[in-house]
Amino acid sequence: MYIKSDAKQLIFDKKNNNFTGLIEFFNLKTNDIITIKKIAELANVSPGTVDRIIHNRGQVAQENVDKVNAIIEEYGYKRNILASNLALNKKFHIAVFLPKYENLEYWKSQISGVEKAAAEFVKFGIVLDYFFYDFNTESFQKQINKVLEFDCDGLLFAPIFYEDSVRFLKEYEKKNIPVVMIDSNISEENKHAYVGQNAFQSGYLAGRLISFAVKNERKVLIFKIAREIESTSVYLQRIDGFYSYFKDNNDLTNFTFSEITVKDSGTNQLNLDMFKDIHSVFVPNSRAYIVARFLEENNIKGVRIIGFDLLKENVEYLNKDVIDFLINQRPEEQGYLGINYLYKKLVLKEAVENTHYIPLEIILKENYFPAGK
Amino acid sequence: MYIKSDAKQLIFDKKNNNFTGLIEFFNLKTNDIITIKKIAELANVSPGTVDRIIHNRGQVAQENVDKVNAIIEEYGYKRNILASNLALNKKFHIAVFLPKYENLEYWKSQISGVEKAAAEFVKFGIVLDYFFYDFNTESFQKQINKVLEFDCDGLLFAPIFYEDSVRFLKEYEKKNIPVVMIDSNISEENKHAYVGQNAFQSGYLAGRLISFAVKNERKVLIFKIAREIESTSVYLQRIDGFYSYFKDNNDLTNFTFSEITVKDSGTNQLNLDMFKDIHSVFVPNSRAYIVARFLEENNIKGVRIIGFDLLKENVEYLNKDVIDFLINQRPEEQGYLGINYLYKKLVLKEAVENTHYIPLEIILKENYFPAGK
DNA sequence: GCAAAAACCGTGTGCGTACACGCAAAAATA
DNA sequence: TATTTTTGCGTGTACGCACACGGTTTTTGC
């Protein structure tokens, strides 16, 4: 692409949908946009016929089909989204299948991103239908059936419970409706869309940050604070990635690792022995604040903590210098982009990249800015 | 906001443009969307009158104005963007006033974000008109006049040269056309829109990262590699923020600071004396790779380097562990969001937040992913 | 009190697409 | 050949909005 200055315009290539060259701007003033009506003229058929061809609605002679398609190809016809949707006058229903978010800050953010997108796209006919499930498999399974029954044009889905989700997805595929997953990805060979982080890599990064932060103090604790069932693969992939970092850097023997698992119910499950000689703690989910709180309450200092997600409590300890790093998953962006994907797919009928990895954002006290950033 | 599960919908509050509650989904099927025609009926006037009132085109009795406005308020009328733009059939011209980007990776990314947005919004009538300037004030001033003469609906602008930019902006304000600045912000009291980082804070963060990375090795070099004229305030703000970090943490005396300024023309301006006893180097612009290259060529190891921007050369040394941290400004996102702002303003006629700070993204080898991330 | 000017307002058409409807010609059946 | 069925295709209208045009009413000046 070559560039000259002054009031010029990059040429927009209608066929390939991008910019290729540069022309004087007034050349574009001439409205050379090709419409159905013009195609009809060129092909000596009526607009109705062109319409039928475009929508594969049949009832048109092959001769005309070929003629019109040739013209469409040649002139690079793109249907006018505005007029199209105006005429369609149709609502696109998206089923949103997520954990019930009361008291779950992370999922609250996801929803708020979803709603932001919804508010932005109502004008294009996007309508959301929510299906929430509690954090247990019974609730999840119950909702699965409702989602399967529900008639819609797209699905946004957080596959928290692995096995059930895989089964559900297999069943849902029969519908042949676009599906986006957020938070964690269980799609085989990229069959469905995904918006979220690369969990393995986020653990890997955590490993790097730990090894960076501690110099000659090399006792690392991996602290797993889980709910009843935390079968999410995210969790395991992060730990996997974490170890992999040290393996790749031939540091597995220079560091000492230990793992502890407790149930998520306050700090009363923790005790001082757990942290004896420990120099740094890796919490592979969003509950780093529990460790932080315990260490603070017991006045233990100098332990590096690294965790995930900008929950209020996590941020509190980040600001107090108790937690050193948080890796942000940008839940709001995930929710937004999930809906945005379906909008592009359904309304704009555009081709969209299937996988969108959210950057691994490292947050320290110094680059944490609430809300507006 | 309360939530129940199953096929429900969050209620969309048309007046305030967000979600407030939850209703059964089929309730929404009833098309209760208020249109100009319906308003006309309710007010006992013709659609034309309503139209005139909405567009403040005058020629309508005050009585009717009030009546119609009341109805608009009551029913929360929102004009249909699709129909509106379809009928308008207008092109929105945006002047894009940026440095010539040949051989400037950072600005190339900015443009590519701009073009991505342009490709996305052509269908809504967005058209870009480029004005490029070379990296000297003469070229800039020459282009200023062309931009001032040029008739358009919005301006995207990178104010590289501070004084000239301030003057230009003052002049441009007379046009009363929305302006977005990217990269650096010279807008007084938030008068114009801005997309970019908080430069001060990015320097502050760099300070933290340095103090984090070096333990008892506390000689810090601030390495300024500048072009002929590098009067950008960004540059100075970063250095300011950098020192501020140490000041705020009472570390100004624990660390030793030195500053060196060289012209940007390869490593031949550097010499070994510059790095004597130095433990870490802060490069407050995108040319950290010059320091990295010099240190590598001279086989000097163990010096921490922190810089800005994911230029190919920077990334190369990041991957070689010569550069430790890069703070990413996400130029592509800046360009995209700049145009996106004007799209929302011009096409959607929405109220948009004036300042959008790009997050201070810390990039290590382990969380650098080219392109798709 | 009348003409001219000004203020007010409704109608109609177009934007580009989608689709129902129905007519005509061709093909199939009697 | 007459009749039905199928296939092909054109017409017309709607989607919601913008705006030109021209008509009607009110105001102003003399």
Side-chain angles (χ1 to χ4, degrees), chain A residues 6 8-10 115 127-130 146 201 215 330 357 369, chain B residues 6 8-10 115 127 129-130 146 201 213 330 360 369 373:
Chain A
D6 307 350
K8 308 279 170 81
Q9 293 187 324
L10 302 185
E115 289 188 10
V127 179
L128 304 187
D129 307 284
Y130 287 90
K146 296 207 175 149
Q201 198 63 32
K215 285 282 140 72
R330 306 202 195 187
Y357 281 127
F369 306 103
Chain B
D6 307 352
K8 308 279 170 80
Q9 294 187 324
L10 302 185
E115 289 189 10
V127 178
D129 306 284
Y130 287 91
K146 294 205 176 151
Q201 199 63 32
R330 305 204 196 183
L360 303 173
F369 306 103
K373 292 171 186 173

PDB file of all heavy atoms in Angstrom, chain A residues 6 8-10 115 127-130 146 201 215 330 357 369, chain B residues 6 8-10 115 127 129-130 146 201 213 330 360 369 373:
ATOM      1  N   ASP A   6      -2.110  14.717   1.906  1.00  0.00           N
ATOM      2  CA  ASP A   6      -3.230  15.549   1.471  1.00  0.00           C
ATOM      3  C   ASP A   6      -4.540  14.773   1.432  1.00  0.00           C
ATOM      4  O   ASP A   6      -4.594  13.592   1.697  1.00  0.00           O
ATOM      5  CB  ASP A   6      -2.961  16.171   0.104  1.00  0.00           C
ATOM      6  CG  ASP A   6      -1.634  16.901   0.095  1.00  0.00           C
ATOM      7  OD1 ASP A   6      -1.048  17.066   1.201  1.00  0.00           O
ATOM      8  OD2 ASP A   6      -1.188  17.303  -0.951  1.00  0.00           O
ATOM      9  N   LYS A   8      -6.568  12.667   0.517  1.00  0.00           N
ATOM     10  CA  LYS A   8      -6.721  11.477  -0.308  1.00  0.00           C
ATOM     11  C   LYS A   8      -7.478  10.424   0.495  1.00  0.00           C
ATOM     12  O   LYS A   8      -7.617  10.528   1.698  1.00  0.00           O
ATOM     13  CB  LYS A   8      -5.337  10.927  -0.672  1.00  0.00           C
ATOM     14  CG  LYS A   8      -4.400  11.948  -1.284  1.00  0.00           C
ATOM     15  CD  LYS A   8      -4.686  12.137  -2.746  1.00  0.00           C
ATOM     16  CE  LYS A   8      -3.925  13.338  -3.299  1.00  0.00           C
ATOM     17  NZ  LYS A   8      -2.537  13.057  -3.619  1.00  0.00           N
ATOM     18  N   GLN A   9      -7.889   9.426  -0.199  1.00  0.00           N
ATOM     19  CA  GLN A   9      -8.538   8.335   0.512  1.00  0.00           C
ATOM     20  C   GLN A   9      -7.917   7.012   0.139  1.00  0.00           C
ATOM     21  O   GLN A   9      -7.602   6.772  -1.023  1.00  0.00           O
ATOM     22  CB  GLN A   9     -10.024   8.261   0.145  1.00  0.00           C
ATOM     23  CG  GLN A   9     -10.788   9.451   0.652  1.00  0.00           C
ATOM     24  CD  GLN A   9     -12.254   9.263   0.422  1.00  0.00           C
ATOM     25  OE1 GLN A   9     -12.663   8.684  -0.588  1.00  0.00           O
ATOM     26  NE2 GLN A   9     -13.050   9.719   1.353  1.00  0.00           N
ATOM     27  N   LEU A  10      -7.750   6.153   1.121  1.00  0.00           N
ATOM     28  CA  LEU A  10      -7.368   4.788   0.815  1.00  0.00           C
ATOM     29  C   LEU A  10      -8.537   4.168   0.057  1.00  0.00           C
ATOM     30  O   LEU A  10      -9.685   4.354   0.410  1.00  0.00           O
ATOM     31  CB  LEU A  10      -7.090   4.006   2.098  1.00  0.00           C
ATOM     32  CG  LEU A  10      -6.003   4.607   2.995  1.00  0.00           C
ATOM     33  CD1 LEU A  10      -5.724   3.696   4.168  1.00  0.00           C
ATOM     34  CD2 LEU A  10      -4.719   4.835   2.228  1.00  0.00           C
ATOM     35  N   GLU A 115     -24.566  -6.981  28.853  1.00  0.00           N
ATOM     36  CA  GLU A 115     -25.636  -5.982  28.786  1.00  0.00           C
ATOM     37  C   GLU A 115     -25.208  -4.740  28.019  1.00  0.00           C
ATOM     38  O   GLU A 115     -26.004  -4.130  27.312  1.00  0.00           O
ATOM     39  CB  GLU A 115     -26.080  -5.594  30.192  1.00  0.00           C
ATOM     40  CG  GLU A 115     -26.835  -6.708  30.860  1.00  0.00           C
ATOM     41  CD  GLU A 115     -27.445  -6.266  32.181  1.00  0.00           C
ATOM     42  OE1 GLU A 115     -27.435  -5.060  32.475  1.00  0.00           O
ATOM     43  OE2 GLU A 115     -27.944  -7.142  32.895  1.00  0.00           O
ATOM     44  N   VAL A 127     -31.821  -9.360  20.806  1.00  0.00           N
ATOM     45  CA  VAL A 127     -32.580  -9.524  22.043  1.00  0.00           C
ATOM     46  C   VAL A 127     -31.978 -10.675  22.833  1.00  0.00           C
ATOM     47  O   VAL A 127     -31.677 -11.727  22.266  1.00  0.00           O
ATOM     48  CB  VAL A 127     -34.056  -9.841  21.750  1.00  0.00           C
ATOM     49  CG1 VAL A 127     -34.818 -10.040  23.043  1.00  0.00           C
ATOM     50  CG2 VAL A 127     -34.684  -8.732  20.934  1.00  0.00           C
ATOM     51  N   LEU A 128     -31.798 -10.473  24.115  1.00  0.00           N
ATOM     52  CA  LEU A 128     -31.193 -11.530  24.943  1.00  0.00           C
ATOM     53  C   LEU A 128     -32.234 -12.267  25.767  1.00  0.00           C
ATOM     54  O   LEU A 128     -33.198 -11.666  26.247  1.00  0.00           O
ATOM     55  CB  LEU A 128     -30.162 -10.923  25.895  1.00  0.00           C
ATOM     56  CG  LEU A 128     -29.042 -10.104  25.271  1.00  0.00           C
ATOM     57  CD1 LEU A 128     -28.029  -9.723  26.337  1.00  0.00           C
ATOM     58  CD2 LEU A 128     -28.377 -10.865  24.144  1.00  0.00           C
ATOM     59  N   ASP A 129     -32.038 -13.552  25.917  1.00  0.00           N
ATOM     60  CA  ASP A 129     -32.878 -14.363  26.794  1.00  0.00           C
ATOM     61  C   ASP A 129     -31.961 -15.116  27.745  1.00  0.00           C
ATOM     62  O   ASP A 129     -31.146 -15.924  27.320  1.00  0.00           O
ATOM     63  CB  ASP A 129     -33.703 -15.327  25.947  1.00  0.00           C
ATOM     64  CG  ASP A 129     -34.485 -14.604  24.858  1.00  0.00           C
ATOM     65  OD1 ASP A 129     -35.495 -13.990  25.196  1.00  0.00           O
ATOM     66  OD2 ASP A 129     -34.052 -14.626  23.688  1.00  0.00           O
ATOM     67  N   TYR A 130     -32.121 -14.822  29.028  1.00  0.00           N
ATOM     68  CA  TYR A 130     -31.166 -15.332  30.001  1.00  0.00           C
ATOM     69  C   TYR A 130     -31.577 -16.684  30.580  1.00  0.00           C
ATOM     70  O   TYR A 130     -32.754 -16.910  30.891  1.00  0.00           O
ATOM     71  CB  TYR A 130     -31.024 -14.343  31.158  1.00  0.00           C
ATOM     72  CG  TYR A 130     -30.250 -13.105  30.792  1.00  0.00           C
ATOM     73  CD1 TYR A 130     -30.889 -11.982  30.290  1.00  0.00           C
ATOM     74  CD2 TYR A 130     -28.868 -13.062  30.959  1.00  0.00           C
ATOM     75  CE1 TYR A 130     -30.175 -10.842  29.949  1.00  0.00           C
ATOM     76  CE2 TYR A 130     -28.155 -11.924  30.629  1.00  0.00           C
ATOM     77  CZ  TYR A 130     -28.813 -10.823  30.125  1.00  0.00           C
ATOM     78  OH  TYR A 130     -28.101  -9.698  29.804  1.00  0.00           O
ATOM     79  N   LYS A 146     -33.860 -26.713  29.392  1.00  0.00           N
ATOM     80  CA  LYS A 146     -34.601 -25.509  28.994  1.00  0.00           C
ATOM     81  C   LYS A 146     -33.932 -24.807  27.825  1.00  0.00           C
ATOM     82  O   LYS A 146     -34.599 -24.339  26.906  1.00  0.00           O
ATOM     83  CB  LYS A 146     -34.701 -24.551  30.187  1.00  0.00           C
ATOM     84  CG  LYS A 146     -35.509 -25.131  31.326  1.00  0.00           C
ATOM     85  CD  LYS A 146     -36.148 -24.045  32.156  1.00  0.00           C
ATOM     86  CE  LYS A 146     -37.047 -24.691  33.207  1.00  0.00           C
ATOM     87  NZ  LYS A 146     -37.123 -23.910  34.440  1.00  0.00           N
ATOM     88  N   GLN A 201      -1.375 -20.603  29.317  1.00  0.00           N
ATOM     89  CA  GLN A 201      -0.398 -19.534  29.197  1.00  0.00           C
ATOM     90  C   GLN A 201      -0.457 -18.576  30.383  1.00  0.00           C
ATOM     91  O   GLN A 201       0.552 -18.005  30.783  1.00  0.00           O
ATOM     92  CB  GLN A 201      -0.627 -18.780  27.882  1.00  0.00           C
ATOM     93  CG  GLN A 201       0.536 -17.949  27.417  1.00  0.00           C
ATOM     94  CD  GLN A 201       1.779 -18.779  27.097  1.00  0.00           C
ATOM     95  OE1 GLN A 201       1.663 -19.924  26.656  1.00  0.00           O
ATOM     96  NE2 GLN A 201       2.962 -18.230  27.343  1.00  0.00           N
ATOM     97  N   LYS A 215      14.040 -13.882  44.497  1.00  0.00           N
ATOM     98  CA  LYS A 215      15.384 -14.068  43.975  1.00  0.00           C
ATOM     99  C   LYS A 215      15.968 -15.390  44.462  1.00  0.00           C
ATOM    100  O   LYS A 215      16.038 -16.368  43.736  1.00  0.00           O
ATOM    101  CB  LYS A 215      16.278 -12.896  44.411  1.00  0.00           C
ATOM    102  CG  LYS A 215      15.987 -11.635  43.638  1.00  0.00           C
ATOM    103  CD  LYS A 215      16.608 -11.657  42.247  1.00  0.00           C
ATOM    104  CE  LYS A 215      15.689 -11.072  41.192  1.00  0.00           C
ATOM    105  NZ  LYS A 215      15.545  -9.616  41.280  1.00  0.00           N
ATOM    106  N   ARG A 330     -10.382  -9.693  32.365  1.00  0.00           N
ATOM    107  CA  ARG A 330     -11.324  -8.777  31.713  1.00  0.00           C
ATOM    108  C   ARG A 330     -12.684  -9.390  31.453  1.00  0.00           C
ATOM    109  O   ARG A 330     -13.109  -9.517  30.287  1.00  0.00           O
ATOM    110  CB  ARG A 330     -10.772  -8.325  30.381  1.00  0.00           C
ATOM    111  CG  ARG A 330      -9.405  -7.732  30.520  1.00  0.00           C
ATOM    112  CD  ARG A 330      -9.187  -6.878  29.350  1.00  0.00           C
ATOM    113  NE  ARG A 330      -7.783  -6.567  29.228  1.00  0.00           N
ATOM    114  CZ  ARG A 330      -7.318  -5.724  28.350  1.00  0.00           C
ATOM    115  NH1 ARG A 330      -8.154  -5.127  27.531  1.00  0.00           N
ATOM    116  NH2 ARG A 330      -6.054  -5.478  28.284  1.00  0.00           N
ATOM    117  N   TYR A 357      -8.488 -14.551  21.989  1.00  0.00           N
ATOM    118  CA  TYR A 357      -7.832 -14.645  23.282  1.00  0.00           C
ATOM    119  C   TYR A 357      -7.726 -13.275  23.922  1.00  0.00           C
ATOM    120  O   TYR A 357      -7.211 -12.328  23.319  1.00  0.00           O
ATOM    121  CB  TYR A 357      -6.435 -15.246  23.141  1.00  0.00           C
ATOM    122  CG  TYR A 357      -6.439 -16.742  22.994  1.00  0.00           C
ATOM    123  CD1 TYR A 357      -5.778 -17.374  21.951  1.00  0.00           C
ATOM    124  CD2 TYR A 357      -7.118 -17.535  23.924  1.00  0.00           C
ATOM    125  CE1 TYR A 357      -5.796 -18.758  21.823  1.00  0.00           C
ATOM    126  CE2 TYR A 357      -7.146 -18.906  23.798  1.00  0.00           C
ATOM    127  CZ  TYR A 357      -6.481 -19.515  22.749  1.00  0.00           C
ATOM    128  OH  TYR A 357      -6.501 -20.869  22.631  1.00  0.00           O
ATOM    129  N   PHE A 369      -6.694   0.780  37.661  1.00  0.00           N
ATOM    130  CA  PHE A 369      -7.591   1.931  37.687  1.00  0.00           C
ATOM    131  C   PHE A 369      -9.012   1.440  37.609  1.00  0.00           C
ATOM    132  O   PHE A 369      -9.382   0.803  36.618  1.00  0.00           O
ATOM    133  CB  PHE A 369      -7.309   2.878  36.526  1.00  0.00           C
ATOM    134  CG  PHE A 369      -5.894   3.305  36.461  1.00  0.00           C
ATOM    135  CD1 PHE A 369      -5.035   2.747  35.532  1.00  0.00           C
ATOM    136  CD2 PHE A 369      -5.400   4.244  37.351  1.00  0.00           C
ATOM    137  CE1 PHE A 369      -3.696   3.122  35.486  1.00  0.00           C
ATOM    138  CE2 PHE A 369      -4.064   4.622  37.300  1.00  0.00           C
ATOM    139  CZ  PHE A 369      -3.215   4.062  36.377  1.00  0.00           C
TER     140      PHE A 369
ATOM    141  N   ASP B   6     -34.326 -19.006  33.854  1.00  0.00           N
ATOM    142  CA  ASP B   6     -35.206 -19.379  32.739  1.00  0.00           C
ATOM    143  C   ASP B   6     -35.312 -18.274  31.695  1.00  0.00           C
ATOM    144  O   ASP B   6     -34.729 -17.216  31.821  1.00  0.00           O
ATOM    145  CB  ASP B   6     -36.592 -19.758  33.233  1.00  0.00           C
ATOM    146  CG  ASP B   6     -36.513 -20.815  34.314  1.00  0.00           C
ATOM    147  OD1 ASP B   6     -35.383 -21.342  34.537  1.00  0.00           O
ATOM    148  OD2 ASP B   6     -37.507 -21.109  34.919  1.00  0.00           O
ATOM    149  N   LYS B   8     -35.999 -15.538  30.541  1.00  0.00           N
ATOM    150  CA  LYS B   8     -36.487 -14.217  30.885  1.00  0.00           C
ATOM    151  C   LYS B   8     -35.605 -13.198  30.181  1.00  0.00           C
ATOM    152  O   LYS B   8     -34.524 -13.498  29.729  1.00  0.00           O
ATOM    153  CB  LYS B   8     -36.385 -14.000  32.406  1.00  0.00           C
ATOM    154  CG  LYS B   8     -37.031 -15.099  33.236  1.00  0.00           C
ATOM    155  CD  LYS B   8     -38.516 -14.907  33.333  1.00  0.00           C
ATOM    156  CE  LYS B   8     -39.198 -16.110  33.948  1.00  0.00           C
ATOM    157  NZ  LYS B   8     -39.125 -16.175  35.398  1.00  0.00           N
ATOM    158  N   GLN B   9     -36.062 -11.982  30.198  1.00  0.00           N
ATOM    159  CA  GLN B   9     -35.226 -10.921  29.636  1.00  0.00           C
ATOM    160  C   GLN B   9     -35.070  -9.790  30.627  1.00  0.00           C
ATOM    161  O   GLN B   9     -36.012  -9.414  31.297  1.00  0.00           O
ATOM    162  CB  GLN B   9     -35.863 -10.362  28.369  1.00  0.00           C
ATOM    163  CG  GLN B   9     -35.917 -11.361  27.254  1.00  0.00           C
ATOM    164  CD  GLN B   9     -36.401 -10.705  25.994  1.00  0.00           C
ATOM    165  OE1 GLN B   9     -37.260  -9.829  26.037  1.00  0.00           O
ATOM    166  NE2 GLN B   9     -35.836 -11.104  24.874  1.00  0.00           N
ATOM    167  N   LEU B  10     -33.873  -9.274  30.692  1.00  0.00           N
ATOM    168  CA  LEU B  10     -33.696  -8.050  31.441  1.00  0.00           C
ATOM    169  C   LEU B  10     -34.468  -6.968  30.704  1.00  0.00           C
ATOM    170  O   LEU B  10     -34.427  -6.883  29.484  1.00  0.00           O
ATOM    171  CB  LEU B  10     -32.212  -7.682  31.507  1.00  0.00           C
ATOM    172  CG  LEU B  10     -31.301  -8.749  32.127  1.00  0.00           C
ATOM    173  CD1 LEU B  10     -29.892  -8.226  32.256  1.00  0.00           C
ATOM    174  CD2 LEU B  10     -31.808  -9.167  33.485  1.00  0.00           C
ATOM    175  N   GLU B 115      -8.007   1.912   9.923  1.00  0.00           N
ATOM    176  CA  GLU B 115      -8.593   1.284   8.738  1.00  0.00           C
ATOM    177  C   GLU B 115      -9.559   0.164   9.093  1.00  0.00           C
ATOM    178  O   GLU B 115     -10.549  -0.047   8.412  1.00  0.00           O
ATOM    179  CB  GLU B 115      -7.472   0.744   7.848  1.00  0.00           C
ATOM    180  CG  GLU B 115      -6.709   1.857   7.179  1.00  0.00           C
ATOM    181  CD  GLU B 115      -5.732   1.327   6.134  1.00  0.00           C
ATOM    182  OE1 GLU B 115      -5.790   0.130   5.813  1.00  0.00           O
ATOM    183  OE2 GLU B 115      -4.914   2.124   5.659  1.00  0.00           O
ATOM    184  N   VAL B 127     -16.473   7.840   5.938  1.00  0.00           N
ATOM    185  CA  VAL B 127     -15.441   7.935   4.909  1.00  0.00           C
ATOM    186  C   VAL B 127     -14.245   8.691   5.488  1.00  0.00           C
ATOM    187  O   VAL B 127     -14.420   9.703   6.152  1.00  0.00           O
ATOM    188  CB  VAL B 127     -15.951   8.708   3.671  1.00  0.00           C
ATOM    189  CG1 VAL B 127     -14.845   8.832   2.649  1.00  0.00           C
ATOM    190  CG2 VAL B 127     -17.162   8.017   3.076  1.00  0.00           C
ATOM    191  N   ASP B 129     -10.576  10.725   5.164  1.00  0.00           N
ATOM    192  CA  ASP B 129      -9.726  11.528   4.300  1.00  0.00           C
ATOM    193  C   ASP B 129      -8.419  11.789   5.032  1.00  0.00           C
ATOM    194  O   ASP B 129      -8.413  12.431   6.079  1.00  0.00           O
ATOM    195  CB  ASP B 129     -10.434  12.849   3.971  1.00  0.00           C
ATOM    196  CG  ASP B 129     -11.819  12.603   3.397  1.00  0.00           C
ATOM    197  OD1 ASP B 129     -11.915  12.229   2.239  1.00  0.00           O
ATOM    198  OD2 ASP B 129     -12.803  12.770   4.145  1.00  0.00           O
ATOM    199  N   TYR B 130      -7.344  11.288   4.471  1.00  0.00           N
ATOM    200  CA  TYR B 130      -6.068  11.296   5.175  1.00  0.00           C
ATOM    201  C   TYR B 130      -5.245  12.547   4.908  1.00  0.00           C
ATOM    202  O   TYR B 130      -5.161  13.022   3.786  1.00  0.00           O
ATOM    203  CB  TYR B 130      -5.238  10.086   4.760  1.00  0.00           C
ATOM    204  CG  TYR B 130      -5.749   8.781   5.338  1.00  0.00           C
ATOM    205  CD1 TYR B 130      -6.670   8.011   4.646  1.00  0.00           C
ATOM    206  CD2 TYR B 130      -5.291   8.326   6.569  1.00  0.00           C
ATOM    207  CE1 TYR B 130      -7.134   6.815   5.162  1.00  0.00           C
ATOM    208  CE2 TYR B 130      -5.751   7.131   7.091  1.00  0.00           C
ATOM    209  CZ  TYR B 130      -6.665   6.382   6.397  1.00  0.00           C
ATOM    210  OH  TYR B 130      -7.126   5.207   6.919  1.00  0.00           O
ATOM    211  N   LYS B 146      -4.085  22.835   5.207  1.00  0.00           N
ATOM    212  CA  LYS B 146      -4.957  21.997   4.373  1.00  0.00           C
ATOM    213  C   LYS B 146      -6.098  21.415   5.184  1.00  0.00           C
ATOM    214  O   LYS B 146      -7.230  21.348   4.725  1.00  0.00           O
ATOM    215  CB  LYS B 146      -4.130  20.870   3.752  1.00  0.00           C
ATOM    216  CG  LYS B 146      -3.093  21.385   2.764  1.00  0.00           C
ATOM    217  CD  LYS B 146      -2.723  20.331   1.746  1.00  0.00           C
ATOM    218  CE  LYS B 146      -1.755  20.948   0.738  1.00  0.00           C
ATOM    219  NZ  LYS B 146      -0.854  19.955   0.174  1.00  0.00           N
ATOM    220  N   GLN B 201       1.253   8.261  34.389  1.00  0.00           N
ATOM    221  CA  GLN B 201       1.060   7.010  35.112  1.00  0.00           C
ATOM    222  C   GLN B 201       1.901   5.876  34.523  1.00  0.00           C
ATOM    223  O   GLN B 201       2.336   4.981  35.245  1.00  0.00           O
ATOM    224  CB  GLN B 201      -0.430   6.641  35.098  1.00  0.00           C
ATOM    225  CG  GLN B 201      -0.846   5.634  36.155  1.00  0.00           C
ATOM    226  CD  GLN B 201      -0.642   6.151  37.570  1.00  0.00           C
ATOM    227  OE1 GLN B 201      -0.759   7.358  37.828  1.00  0.00           O
ATOM    228  NE2 GLN B 201      -0.304   5.256  38.491  1.00  0.00           N
ATOM    229  N   ALA B 213      12.250  -5.069  40.041  1.00  0.00           N
ATOM    230  CA  ALA B 213      13.155  -6.006  39.377  1.00  0.00           C
ATOM    231  C   ALA B 213      14.553  -5.988  39.979  1.00  0.00           C
ATOM    232  O   ALA B 213      15.223  -7.017  40.016  1.00  0.00           O
ATOM    233  CB  ALA B 213      13.229  -5.686  37.891  1.00  0.00           C
ATOM    234  N   ARG B 330      -0.831  -0.165  22.791  1.00  0.00           N
ATOM    235  CA  ARG B 330      -1.899  -0.640  21.908  1.00  0.00           C
ATOM    236  C   ARG B 330      -2.278   0.366  20.830  1.00  0.00           C
ATOM    237  O   ARG B 330      -3.419   0.858  20.789  1.00  0.00           O
ATOM    238  CB  ARG B 330      -3.155  -0.924  22.708  1.00  0.00           C
ATOM    239  CG  ARG B 330      -2.885  -1.883  23.832  1.00  0.00           C
ATOM    240  CD  ARG B 330      -4.149  -2.537  24.158  1.00  0.00           C
ATOM    241  NE  ARG B 330      -4.057  -3.186  25.437  1.00  0.00           N
ATOM    242  CZ  ARG B 330      -5.014  -3.893  25.949  1.00  0.00           C
ATOM    243  NH1 ARG B 330      -6.135  -4.025  25.276  1.00  0.00           N
ATOM    244  NH2 ARG B 330      -4.874  -4.470  27.088  1.00  0.00           N
ATOM    245  N   LEU B 360      -2.457   0.328  30.944  1.00  0.00           N
ATOM    246  CA  LEU B 360      -0.999   0.230  30.914  1.00  0.00           C
ATOM    247  C   LEU B 360      -0.648  -1.243  30.879  1.00  0.00           C
ATOM    248  O   LEU B 360      -0.575  -1.903  31.905  1.00  0.00           O
ATOM    249  CB  LEU B 360      -0.411   0.906  32.143  1.00  0.00           C
ATOM    250  CG  LEU B 360      -0.810   2.377  32.330  1.00  0.00           C
ATOM    251  CD1 LEU B 360      -0.313   2.898  33.665  1.00  0.00           C
ATOM    252  CD2 LEU B 360      -0.268   3.214  31.195  1.00  0.00           C
ATOM    253  N   PHE B 369       2.057 -12.118  22.535  1.00  0.00           N
ATOM    254  CA  PHE B 369       1.560 -12.960  21.448  1.00  0.00           C
ATOM    255  C   PHE B 369       1.316 -12.081  20.241  1.00  0.00           C
ATOM    256  O   PHE B 369       0.480 -11.175  20.299  1.00  0.00           O
ATOM    257  CB  PHE B 369       0.277 -13.673  21.835  1.00  0.00           C
ATOM    258  CG  PHE B 369       0.408 -14.451  23.097  1.00  0.00           C
ATOM    259  CD1 PHE B 369      -0.111 -13.960  24.277  1.00  0.00           C
ATOM    260  CD2 PHE B 369       1.063 -15.667  23.101  1.00  0.00           C
ATOM    261  CE1 PHE B 369       0.030 -14.665  25.454  1.00  0.00           C
ATOM    262  CE2 PHE B 369       1.208 -16.377  24.278  1.00  0.00           C
ATOM    263  CZ  PHE B 369       0.683 -15.880  25.457  1.00  0.00           C
ATOM    264  N   LYS B 373      -2.926 -12.447  19.345  1.00  0.00           N
ATOM    265  CA  LYS B 373      -2.782 -12.541  20.791  1.00  0.00           C
ATOM    266  C   LYS B 373      -3.087 -13.936  21.286  1.00  0.00           C
ATOM    267  O   LYS B 373      -3.960 -14.135  22.092  1.00  0.00           O
ATOM    268  CB  LYS B 373      -3.672 -11.510  21.486  1.00  0.00           C
ATOM    269  CG  LYS B 373      -3.194 -10.091  21.238  1.00  0.00           C
ATOM    270  CD  LYS B 373      -4.207  -9.101  21.738  1.00  0.00           C
ATOM    271  CE  LYS B 373      -3.814  -7.672  21.358  1.00  0.00           C
ATOM    272  NZ  LYS B 373      -4.828  -6.704  21.675  1.00  0.00           N
TER     273      LYS B 373
END
